[in-house]
């Protein structure tokens, strides 16, 4: 399981010209799932994301987490995070989990993140053609892969 986390001052997800999710200060989280991801990946990654110290403290040092600043989150499924680009110029998505595996894991990740944060997490729509707009604050962009936790 892989995430691309962007610290944002605002972000929103639009589907068919309708805003489906919108936040101010917080994290925009793109989530990619592979076939061998498990509930352990979900738990570890949700906790890591919520506690990642990438928000400024009173000394303007990145020392506060999403929990500390009571920020919001949007989670967007993105199978392209697992693109294989080694051969040729057309990415292969063979590693990305199919919907029957990915949807339950995506939904579980959102629920786990909500549990850790103690608040509702907004989402896009799995498999939809989404337009994502954001103002990356910093810019701060972090990539975390649950397979590299050790």
């Amino acid at each position: 399981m892989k995430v691309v986390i962007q610290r944002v001052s605002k972000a929103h997800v639009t589907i068919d010209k309708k805003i489906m999710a919108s936040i101010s200060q917080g994290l925009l989280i793109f989530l990619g799932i592979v076939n061998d991801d498990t509930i352990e990946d979900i738990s570890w990654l949700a906790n890591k994301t919520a506690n990642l110290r990438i928000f400024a403290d009173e000394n303007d040092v990145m020392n506060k987490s999403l929990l500390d600043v009571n920020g919001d989150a949007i989670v967007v499924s993105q199978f392209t995070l697992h693109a294989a680009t080694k051969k040729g110029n057309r990415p292969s998505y063979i590693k990305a989990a199919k919907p029957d595996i990915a949807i339950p894991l995506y939904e579980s990740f959102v629920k786990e993140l909500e549990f850790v944060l103690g608040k509702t997490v907004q989402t896009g729509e799995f498999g939809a053609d989404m337009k994502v707009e954001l103002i990356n604050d910093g810019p701060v962009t972090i990539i975390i892969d649950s397979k590299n936790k050790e």
Side-chain angles (χ1 to χ4, degrees), residues 7-77:
R7 186 180 77 185
V8 299
S9 55
K10 68 179 178 177
H12 66 266
V13 177
T14 305
I15 301 171
D16 295 326
K17 299 181 181 178
K18 179 181 175 197
I19 294 178
M20 302 300 290
S22 181
I23 63 170
S24 52
Q25 181 186 36
L27 299 178
L28 176 61
I29 304 159
F30 295 102
L31 176 68
I33 298 168
V34 293
N35 289 321
D36 62 346
D37 285 331
T38 66
I39 196 72
E40 288 80 22
D41 293 298
I42 290 166
S43 179
W44 181 83
L45 200 50
N47 278 287
K48 186 70 150 179
T49 299
N51 288 289
L52 198 61
R53 295 178 0 192
I54 58 173
F55 291 90
D57 63 13
E58 54 282 345
N59 297 315
D60 207 27
V61 175
M62 287 197 291
N63 205 26
K64 291 191 173 190
S65 70
L66 187 62
L67 281 165
D68 295 330
V69 300
N70 195 29
D72 293 314
I74 298 176
V75 178
V76 174
S77 65

Side-chain angles (χ1 to χ4, degrees), residues 65-129:
S65 70
L66 187 62
L67 281 165
D68 295 330
V69 300
N70 195 29
D72 293 314
I74 298 176
V75 178
V76 174
S77 65
Q78 191 170 3
F79 72 93
T80 60
L81 293 181
H82 292 288
T85 58
K86 188 173 183 178
K87 294 166 74 175
N89 292 318
R90 184 169 189 257
S92 168
Y93 304 106
I94 194 86
K95 290 183 178 181
K98 301 289 184 256
D100 61 321
I101 293 172
I103 291 171
L105 290 173
Y106 168 76
E107 291 171 349
S108 293
F109 177 82
V110 171
K111 285 184 176 131
E112 182 67 17
L113 188 58
E114 287 178 333
F115 175 76
V116 174
L117 293 174
K119 63 167 51 179
T120 300
V121 169
Q122 297 187 53
T123 65
E125 181 182 317
F126 191 96
D129 180 20

